[in-house]
């Protein structure tokens, strides 16, 4: 029996879910899975209006979203499919390697505007962020900025790849991306929440808990649609699916 299903939402989850669906389709040739990004908020909206089977989210569903789903008779189910470390990245030419959470807050809220204020070159800081519909934007705001507002002049990017591209091309740039997006075009910052121990974003450090910026990644679906989505979700949570989580650069749930 052919099962067509749509997954939409978090950009962070995109590389992982695309890989998982490829592997799943090899085993289940009759399955037809489409995976698109757009941000966590976009995925949850699509779940509300019935245009996706699964919403991929890098943040928890908001209270008002949950209420809206319930009011339209769609009770939602939440599953954690992986964990992700959020990496702060700068241009490779930047000699700054260590930043505290407080310094990151001051940079992204606009208090610190020059790299020389944090031990770098005399160079204007150009901060890149995801746009407001992004779960990564929300998580960074609550976890790193302690819910303070991003500065008004921040440059919002529609996708994670665009942040990598911008940081690669801009000497004074700083941005944040999911661990799986890290590549040699950008330099990851070692982060400290206590101001003493600076830790690099890596699979090992995220898994052992020494890297402080780690978050769960979620799937949301409606109870009524469970039969359709369950086989694929079970596959992702299986030993094989979780091995892929690790290969792609995320942290398995188990």
């Amino acid at each position: 029996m052919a099962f067509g299903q749509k997954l939409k939402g978090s950009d962070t989850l995109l590389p992982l879910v695309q890989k998982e669906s490829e592997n799943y389709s090899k085993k289940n040739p009759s399955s037809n899975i489409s995976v698109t990004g757009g941000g966590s908020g976009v995925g949850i909206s699509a779940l509300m209006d019935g245009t996706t089977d699964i919403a991929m989210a890098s943040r928890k569903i908001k209270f008002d979203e949950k209420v809206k789903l319930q009011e339209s008779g769609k009770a939602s189910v939440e599953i954690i499919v992986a964990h992700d470390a959020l990496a702060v990245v700068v241009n490779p030419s930047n000699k700054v390697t260590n930043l505290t959470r407080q310094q990151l807050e001051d940079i992204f809220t606009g208090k610190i505007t020059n790299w020389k204020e944090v031990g770098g070159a005399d160079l204007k800081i150009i901060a890149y962020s995801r746009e407001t519909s992004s779960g990564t934007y929300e998580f960074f705001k609550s976890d790193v900025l302690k819910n303070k507002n991003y500065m008004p002049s921040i440059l919002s990017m529609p996708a994670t790849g665009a942040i990598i591209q911008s940081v690669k091309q801009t000497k004074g740039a700083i941005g944040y991306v999911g661990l799986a997006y890290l590549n040699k075009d950008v330099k990851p910052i070692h982060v400290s929440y206590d101001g003493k121990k600076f830790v690099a974003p890596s699979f090992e450090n995220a898994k052992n808990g020494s890297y402080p910026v780690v978050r769960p990644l979620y799937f949301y679906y409606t109870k009524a649609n469970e039969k359709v989505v369950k086989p694929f979700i079970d596959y992702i949570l299986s030993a094989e699916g979780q091995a892929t989580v690790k290969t792609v650069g995320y942290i398995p749930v188990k």
Side-chain angles (χ1 to χ4, degrees):
M1 184 174 172
F3 269 127
Q5 48 180 300
K6 292 190 175 83
L7 292 91
K8 193 176 178 69
S10 166
D11 245 42
T12 303
L13 271 158
L14 210 48
L16 172 63
V17 180
Q18 280 168 336
K19 192 77 195 137
E20 297 277 14
S21 73
E22 272 168 43
N23 294 346
Y24 181 79
S25 298
K26 278 178 201 152
K27 299 189 120 157
N28 305 276
S30 66
S31 70
N32 174 23
I33 298 174
S34 86
V35 187
T36 49
S40 301
V42 171
I44 292 169
S45 291
L47 189 65
M48 287 178 192
D49 61 29
T51 55
T52 192
D53 296 297
I54 295 175
M56 309 183 290
S58 62
R59 61 158 171 88
K60 237 175 151 46
I61 192 166
K62 292 177 184 171
F63 181 71
D64 60 321
E65 291 168 335
K66 216 172 172 166
V67 169
K68 270 184 199 153
L69 273 163
Q70 277 164 345
E71 281 171 354
S72 61
K74 298 174 180 170
S76 60
V77 183
E78 172 187 290
I79 300 272
I80 294 172
V81 290
H83 288 85
D84 176 46
L86 198 59
V88 175
V89 293
V90 295
N91 186 276
S93 67
N94 197 326
K95 64 173 202 263
V96 174
T97 302
N98 293 345
L99 289 171
T100 63
R101 187 208 63 76
Q102 187 63 58
Q103 286 172 322
L104 288 171
E105 180 191 304
D106 291 349
I107 286 169
F108 281 91
T109 56
K111 267 191 195 151
I112 291 176
T113 57
N114 192 302
W115 283 107
K116 68 178 182 202
E117 296 172 68
V118 289
D122 184 359
L123 187 66
K124 185 178 184 290
I125 293 175
I126 297 159
Y128 289 91
S129 161
R130 286 292 309 284
E131 76 289 78
T132 52
S133 65
S134 153
T136 305
Y137 167 99
E138 302 256 359
F139 175 80
F140 193 82
K141 183 179 172 177
S142 66
D143 200 81
V144 182
L145 308 186
K146 298 294 172 220
N147 277 320
K148 306 225 176 26
N149 287 324
Y150 289 92
M151 63 178 144
S153 65
I154 201 145
L155 299 161
S156 296
M157 293 285 130
T160 307
I163 290 187
I164 294 276
Q165 212 41 42
S166 306
V167 173
K168 175 193 173 182
Q169 290 163 352
T170 315
K171 274 202 159 53
I174 188 167
Y176 52 84
V177 299
L179 185 64
Y181 281 88
L182 274 189
N183 63 22
K184 60 182 187 322
D185 292 335
V186 293
K187 172 180 156 177
I189 287 289
H190 298 205
V191 176
S192 171
Y193 270 36
D194 62 9
K196 296 182 192 80
K197 193 168 176 262
F198 290 88
V199 185
S202 70
F203 175 82
E204 279 315 318
N205 294 342
K207 198 171 186 313
N208 67 29
S210 62
Y211 184 73
V213 204
V214 175
R215 61 200 172 139
L217 301 174
Y218 304 96
F219 273 8
Y220 289 98
Y221 61 89
T222 59
K223 198 90 181 99
N225 207 16
E226 195 149 45
K227 266 201 173 63
V228 175
V229 300
K230 199 94 171 71
F232 183 52
I233 292 173
D234 288 346
Y235 171 74
I236 292 182
L237 295 173
S238 73
E240 186 182 318
Q242 290 292 300
T244 304
V245 167
K246 193 175 171 177
T247 315
V248 182
Y250 298 79
I251 301 102
V253 269
K254 296 183 174 64

